[in-house]
Amino acid sequence: MATLATVSFDGDHRKNARKLANSWRRTARKAKAALAACHGQAAADDFHDLRKRTYDYRLYHALLRDIWPGAMKAKRDVAKELVEDLGHINDLAVLCALVEAEPQLFTRHDDLAHLLDAIIFRQQEDRRQALVKAEAVFADDPDEEAQRIELLWLTVAG
């Protein structure tokens, strides 16, 4: 809240457009970095970070929905779907950790092994699908995307 209190849009429209573009660029770069971390031998925390960065990205689209409704809604919707998919992946990671922490809940060792195998298989499949979606969501270059947002902001003011 303290940071929000320091934000001012009292400057000229061009300056505001530049602020928005720079902020958008930082958010998109963070999302791209989080996505890159999810390739290879990614940990559950990497996918959780991608979820948070995708949520941030989605909020930027929600912020500008009134300026460019069709495009912002389309990107916001695919980002929302990706956030939900990544949430499911996080749920599976939490379930796996719980099952591993409480093996005594399973009276037969085979039950535990089968459950862990099923969870891990589902995680791998869901991660693979989420990465395909994330590559599409974050396909645009952050610099180019920020430039478009800046131009859009300037156009709306003009």
Side-chain angles (χ1 to χ4, degrees):
M1 292 302 287
T3 302
L4 194 57
T6 65
V7 175
S8 170
F9 289 101
D10 294 336
D12 67 36
H13 201 66
R14 190 167 297 283
K15 185 177 177 181
N16 292 337
R18 201 170 316 111
K19 280 182 189 179
L20 180 61
N22 287 335
S23 182
W24 190 288
R25 181 180 296 109
R26 278 191 305 275
T27 298
R29 284 181 180 167
K30 286 179 183 178
K32 284 263 207 192
L35 174 56
C38 289
H39 289 284
Q41 298 296 330
D45 285 345
D46 295 322
F47 280 87
H48 185 63
D49 189 44
L50 177 60
R51 180 181 185 212
K52 291 188 290 186
R53 300 299 66 87
T54 304
Y55 188 79
D56 295 343
Y57 190 71
R58 178 179 156 233
L59 290 177
Y60 269 88
H61 286 84
L63 176 69
L64 298 181
R65 70 181 171 264
D66 293 338
I67 298 173
W68 198 11
M72 292 299 141
K73 181 177 179 351
K75 277 283 240 193
R76 191 177 75 237
D77 288 351
V78 294
K80 179 182 179 188
E81 185 178 317
L82 178 58
V83 166
E84 290 171 1
D85 292 349
L86 291 166
H88 180 70
I89 291 168
N90 188 62
D91 292 346
L92 289 173
V94 170
L95 178 61
C96 190
L98 175 68
V99 168
E100 288 174 339
E102 302 287 338
Q104 72 276 9
L105 297 175
F106 300 90
T107 55
R108 292 183 19 198
H109 184 69
D110 288 349
D111 290 345
L112 177 62
H114 289 304
L115 179 58
L116 286 172
D117 284 345
I119 293 170
I120 291 168
F121 175 78
R122 186 75 264 148
Q123 271 183 314
Q124 290 172 339
E125 288 300 309
D126 290 352
R127 282 180 173 190
R128 223 179 336 271
Q129 291 172 4
L131 287 176
V132 170
K133 283 183 186 177
E135 290 291 346
V137 169
F138 300 112
D140 293 335
D141 177 74
D143 293 327
E144 292 174 7
E145 192 173 26
Q147 286 176 333
R148 283 193 302 270
I149 295 303
E150 185 174 355
L151 289 172
L152 175 63
W153 189 266
L154 291 171
T155 301
V156 169

